[in-house]
Amino acid sequence: TCRCSPDVVEFAQKHGFYDGEKADFSFSGVYDPVTFEGCRFCEARVWYVFREAADFDASKYLDYAKGYDTKNRMPLWVKPKAKLTRDDVMKLMGSHYEGSWFDPAVDVGAGPEHTPYRWNGLTWDFQNATYVNERPVGTQYTGWHFIGQVRGALPPPLQAVLWFGADDHSYSPKIPIHGGANGVHESYDDADCHSRSACRREAGLPGTVTDLSLDNAWWLNNMVADQVYTRYDRAAPVVLAKRADLEAELATMLNDADAAAAEAFAAGDREGCHDILTKHAIAAGQKATETWRALWAELLVTFIDGRITVRNDDDHICGCSKDTATFTDAWKTKVVADTGDKYLEPENAKGLAASAGGGRPKLSIRGVVA
């Protein structure tokens, strides 16, 4: 069932948006007509979620999602092929068209580490033609996101849980906040400012869009995600593993808070119940912020200068080893196809080196790093 204003058709007719019969009225067709970009940048995301979550004939609607056939509309909703868990929904909301026709991680624009992100906007022009970049479900431009969970069997203050995250859905932690909580950790607090910088400064909150703060969840999540964007193959698995560990800790904290708050509620201590839920929300935010601050530092150290730094106690200089990234043969093929012999080392390269009485290459000297 869809709800709408009773004069939704008459309003469109009055203002010249629609001149057909009421029985033929299409809300989206009148108020937001489907276009190529509407399909490609929006409907394609729905197509991918339907494809992953439901018994859905994705091939039938592929041209619609591409924006090539705007008449072949998809169903308004579909039935999942299995009950979706919270983790399932989180994964879908952070996805990037993996394994589909739209997958941006497999063409030359993805670079050697298969990033699904593009930095030149959704459209770009070349030789009098306009091209597009894909807009994946998990996009880097996200300001904040959430997944709502309703647990009807629990007391009212515990039933609704908002799994809230700042910045990119794909790589940010999501903290559980009960509907009965009355506050959050300062790193997540916005004081009803709706992200307006002047308001945040006046409220004494850490960080704005132009003022970096290591005590601001949005900034920390951005800093971690930004390490992933250009080091995708190496950094993404590290971040996702850390988030899984954090979510396990947050789940334990949530269970403990549920039990304590439910006990207080059952005893008639409503104030105590809300106090427990508020303290839990603050603790969850603090835990996520501290974890992501440490993760950012770890990523910065590990991938500084494009290398891979690994602790090595046997090394008496830096206590580490410095490895280089390894790229796929598919990427090497693209480089050679683009540059020819420009970077080719001659077969007799070692023989070309002049040796006066026996020398020692500087890179073989201990302490010299390439």
Side-chain angles (χ1 to χ4, degrees), residues 15-71:
H15 292 277
F17 304 147
Y18 181 66
D19 59 5
E21 297 296 326
K22 188 171 185 177
D24 299 325
F25 180 81
S26 165
F27 182 90
S28 65
V30 171
Y31 290 107
D32 186 19
V34 178
T35 63
F36 166 78
E37 290 189 357
C39 286
R40 194 60 169 262
F41 299 148
C42 301
E43 296 291 86
R45 305 166 97 196
V46 179
W47 174 90
Y48 184 75
V49 172
F50 282 3
R51 172 184 183 264
E52 296 298 296
D55 291 321
F56 171 71
D57 187 355
S59 61
K60 179 179 178 180
Y61 300 100
L62 179 57
D63 278 350
Y64 172 73
K66 291 178 182 179
Y68 299 166
D69 180 3
T70 59
K71 302 296 184 183

Side-chain angles (χ1 to χ4, degrees), residues 85-275:
T85 66
R86 175 175 53 83
D87 288 341
D88 291 334
V89 177
M90 285 184 176
K91 183 178 180 180
L92 288 170
M93 295 298 290
S95 60
H96 308 94
Y97 293 132
E98 287 86 352
S100 75
W101 184 89
F102 298 95
D103 192 342
V106 296
D107 62 59
V108 67
E113 298 214 44
H114 308 98
T115 180
Y117 303 98
R118 302 292 185 270
W119 313 126
N120 59 330
L122 288 175
T123 62
W124 48 281
D125 297 327
F126 178 66
Q127 295 183 344
N128 298 318
T130 299
Y131 295 80
V132 301
N133 290 319
E134 306 300 354
R135 181 176 176 243
V137 181
T139 178
Q140 71 271 27
Y141 298 122
T142 304
W144 52 270
H145 57 274
F146 70 89
I147 291 175
Q149 184 179 17
V150 178
R151 309 172 304 167
L154 296 177
L158 288 73
Q159 288 180 356
V161 174
L162 191 72
W163 294 86
F164 183 86
D167 191 47
D168 189 343
H169 208 304
S170 305
Y171 305 107
S172 298
K174 293 140 188 65
I175 62 170
I177 304 171
H178 291 88
N182 295 319
V184 294
H185 189 258
E186 185 180 51
S187 59
Y188 283 86
D189 194 358
D190 194 47
D192 291 328
C193 287
H194 302 285
S195 298
R196 290 175 292 128
S197 296
C199 177
R200 289 186 59 83
R201 293 190 185 105
E202 184 177 350
L205 294 173
T208 68
V209 173
T210 56
D211 300 318
L212 185 147
S213 171
L214 296 182
D215 296 317
N216 178 287
W218 182 82
W219 264 116
L220 288 171
N221 294 352
N222 264 286
M223 292 158 67
V224 167
D226 208 54
Q227 289 287 318
V228 174
Y229 296 153
T230 54
R231 301 167 176 85
Y232 199 78
D233 286 348
R234 289 174 288 166
V238 176
V239 174
L240 293 177
K242 179 62 72 173
R243 188 171 70 178
D245 291 342
L246 174 61
E247 287 176 351
E249 293 186 61
L250 292 176
T252 298
M253 293 170 63
L254 176 64
N255 290 336
D256 291 344
D258 281 345
E263 183 177 350
F265 186 87
D269 184 4
R270 304 299 175 88
E271 183 177 346
C273 172
H274 287 283
D275 183 58

Side-chain angles (χ1 to χ4, degrees), residues 203-345:
L205 294 173
T208 68
V209 173
T210 56
D211 300 318
L212 185 147
S213 171
L214 296 182
D215 296 317
N216 178 287
W218 182 82
W219 264 116
L220 288 171
N221 294 352
N222 264 286
M223 292 158 67
V224 167
D226 208 54
Q227 289 287 318
V228 174
Y229 296 153
T230 54
R231 301 167 176 85
Y232 199 78
D233 286 348
R234 289 174 288 166
V238 176
V239 174
L240 293 177
K242 179 62 72 173
R243 188 171 70 178
D245 291 342
L246 174 61
E247 287 176 351
E249 293 186 61
L250 292 176
T252 298
M253 293 170 63
L254 176 64
N255 290 336
D256 291 344
D258 281 345
E263 183 177 350
F265 186 87
D269 184 4
R270 304 299 175 88
E271 183 177 346
C273 172
H274 287 283
D275 183 58
I276 291 169
L277 300 181
T278 301
K279 288 180 178 178
H280 165 258
I282 293 172
Q286 180 178 356
K287 180 66 177 179
T289 296
E290 291 174 349
T291 302
W292 244 235
R293 188 187 297 119
L295 176 59
W296 168 71
E298 176 188 336
L299 293 169
L300 189 64
V301 169
T302 301
F303 301 117
I304 193 74
D305 295 332
R307 307 292 286 274
I308 305 171
T309 303
V310 180
R311 292 187 182 276
N312 180 1
D313 293 335
D314 294 331
D315 184 281
H316 300 297
I317 298 174
C318 71
C320 65
S321 60
K322 294 276 188 176
D323 301 326
T324 58
T326 302
F327 297 149
T328 64
D329 286 348
W331 175 252
K332 295 173 187 176
T333 299
K334 293 174 184 177
V335 173
V336 173
D338 188 52
T339 62
D341 294 342
K342 179 178 180 179
Y343 299 111
L344 179 66
E345 181 177 304

